[in-house]
Amino acid sequence: MIQASNKYLETTKKNMKKLSQDFQKIANQQVKHPAPGFIASQGRWDGKRYDKVITFRAVERNIGNHFDPKTGEFTAPVDGLYKGSLRIKQAGDRAVQAGVGHRCGGVVTWLVMVETKAKCFEASTTFEVYMKARDVLFSFTEYDGCECTHFSCVFHDV
């Protein structure tokens, strides 16, 4: 009987050690979250803001809620490569243009510009940018007749 108890105790110790190792492995694993990103549409410059940032009425996806449609700004939650696109159309007869800007600290750079041509009412572009956490991405225009039909960006893990 003592032999059986000792064997049971030994088996229990081995099982506890194995469970402890398994829990440690789980604790050390990095939890994968969905890649942050957004898809917005129905964007226009309101003609009032000094910075001419396009704001949006519709957001199809906003994974992580890092895009604010009221300000038109996407704030990067993590360092990394981001891929995006911008599509515009002109509301009237004259050509319009818009761009994507990147703000890192106090420095703003233009990433891409896109322009409609005469009798070509839509234009689009894609871009890639390395962003650090808290960098900001936005679209902008100086044209009242410019509609942003699509603005999107997603974290691209490399």
Side-chain angles (χ1 to χ4, degrees), residues 9-150:
L9 208 57
E10 192 62 37
T11 302
T12 302
K13 284 181 181 178
K14 285 180 183 178
N15 288 340
M16 292 290 284
K17 186 175 180 181
K18 172 96 171 83
L19 275 173
S20 178
Q21 290 170 344
D22 289 347
F23 280 128
Q24 189 61 47
K25 283 180 187 176
I26 291 169
N28 290 337
Q29 287 178 350
Q30 188 177 22
V31 177
K32 285 274 192 183
H33 297 284
F38 70 93
I39 300 171
S41 62
Q42 298 179 27
R44 289 187 72 95
W45 171 47
D46 64 13
K48 300 173 189 168
R49 292 176 53 154
Y50 170 75
D51 54 12
K52 300 176 177 84
V53 173
I54 297 171
T55 57
F56 294 85
R57 290 182 302 207
V59 179
E60 186 178 324
R61 296 232 175 13
N62 194 359
I63 302 165
N65 290 318
H66 302 288
F67 178 72
D68 184 346
K70 292 178 182 169
T71 64
E73 297 180 340
F74 172 75
T75 303
V78 295
D79 294 5
L81 182 66
Y82 290 79
K83 291 185 173 190
S85 63
L86 175 69
R87 185 172 59 237
I88 63 170
K89 73 176 185 177
Q90 62 193 54
D93 291 337
R94 68 180 184 152
V96 295
Q97 71 178 182
V100 175
H102 172 225
R103 184 169 58 241
C104 178
V107 179
V108 175
T109 55
W110 291 6
L111 296 178
V112 293
M113 292 295 291
V114 63
E115 179 179 13
T116 62
K117 304 289 183 194
K119 297 184 183 181
C120 178
F121 298 103
E122 289 189 314
S124 63
T125 188
T126 59
F127 60 89
E128 291 183 345
V129 58
Y130 181 83
M131 294 175 66
K132 293 185 178 184
R134 294 182 301 285
D135 283 5
V136 175
L137 196 68
F138 57 93
S139 59
F140 62 91
T141 188
E142 295 184 5
Y143 296 87
D144 287 339
C146 181
E147 294 182 20
C148 184
T149 60
H150 175 92

